[in-house]
Amino acid sequence: MTAGPDPRTGADGFTVRPLAYTDAVVRALEAELQQEYVERYGGADESPVDPAEFAPPGGLFVVGFADGEPVASGGFRRHTEDVAEIKRMYVMEDRRGAGYARRLLADLESRAAAAGYRRIVLETGLRQPEAVALYESSGYWPIQGFGFYADQALSRSFGKDLTFSD
């Protein structure tokens, strides 16, 4: 008798699994993300990030794999006692349009709720219209700016209440 498929594996072979923020796979995806920031904004994201913030129980970093290849990443860290902040959402350019970002975001929301968070906040930029569209279509609403880029004209902050099921 063989074991059934992993219930978190989609029919297209997409799986999400936690990895340390310092893992080589995460670092490679982060380097691609930072290069995209350079191209879109003229410089890397300078938000302070401590890898320990993405360690359980207060945070987590995940990588999405399509047929065993890393294609997407993102994480959450503690913002306040019951609010998590999503950081470093990224999908490789040649893998966009397959729904990986939406599925990764839903996975992060589920894991943040399981960690006891009741709300998610995040910050993105206007030169990432696909990210803004993803968050708005996923139930996020505009909130007051926060964090490193709170006073920047191109920065937008969003929030979402997490739902819990029994």
Side-chain angles (χ1 to χ4, degrees), residues 107-155:
D107 185 87
L108 286 170
E109 291 171 355
S110 175
R111 292 176 192 259
Y117 293 110
R118 299 211 169 269
R119 188 171 179 215
I120 295 267
V121 295
L122 59 87
E123 182 272 335
T124 192
L126 291 180
R127 292 188 180 153
Q128 296 165 266
E130 62 283 329
V132 171
L134 168 68
Y135 300 133
E136 289 178 339
S137 69
S138 297
Y140 287 76
W141 69 89
I143 61 172
Q144 182 176 352
F146 69 91
F148 191 78
Y149 294 104
D151 61 347
Q152 299 297 309
L154 291 175
S155 176

Side-chain angles (χ1 to χ4, degrees), residues 13-37:
F14 183 73
T15 60
V16 177
R17 111 175 158 234
L19 289 178
Y21 191 70
T22 56
D23 186 280
V25 170
V26 173
R27 302 306 336 126
L29 289 167
E30 171 86 5
E32 289 183 30
L33 172 60
Q34 291 297 339
Q35 181 57 42
E36 186 154 331
Y37 290 148

Side-chain angles (χ1 to χ4, degrees), residues 19-164:
L19 289 178
Y21 191 70
T22 56
D23 186 280
V25 170
V26 173
R27 302 306 336 126
L29 289 167
E30 171 86 5
E32 289 183 30
L33 172 60
Q34 291 297 339
Q35 181 57 42
E36 186 154 331
Y37 290 148
V38 169
E39 293 167 10
R40 291 187 186 214
Y41 296 99
D45 182 350
E46 297 179 1
S47 300
V49 172
D50 177 350
E53 296 173 318
F54 295 107
L60 189 68
F61 206 86
V62 299
V63 173
F65 293 84
D67 297 320
E69 296 295 321
V71 299
S73 61
F76 67 85
R77 64 184 182 179
R78 182 177 307 279
H79 182 68
T80 65
E81 182 65 26
D82 63 348
V83 179
E85 177 187 11
I86 298 279
K87 289 294 290 178
R88 303 296 199 249
M89 283 281 299
Y90 177 69
V91 175
M92 294 174 64
E93 187 173 4
D94 65 344
R95 296 305 195 106
R96 294 179 185 163
Y100 299 145
R102 185 171 306 281
R103 290 159 67 188
L104 191 86
L105 180 62
D107 185 87
L108 286 170
E109 291 171 355
S110 175
R111 292 176 192 259
Y117 293 110
R118 299 211 169 269
R119 188 171 179 215
I120 295 267
V121 295
L122 59 87
E123 182 272 335
T124 192
L126 291 180
R127 292 188 180 153
Q128 296 165 266
E130 62 283 329
V132 171
L134 168 68
Y135 300 133
E136 289 178 339
S137 69
S138 297
Y140 287 76
W141 69 89
I143 61 172
Q144 182 176 352
F146 69 91
F148 191 78
Y149 294 104
D151 61 347
Q152 299 297 309
L154 291 175
S155 176
R156 293 296 181 269
S157 296
F158 293 91
K160 180 179 181 178
D161 291 331
L162 297 174
T163 56
F164 295 85

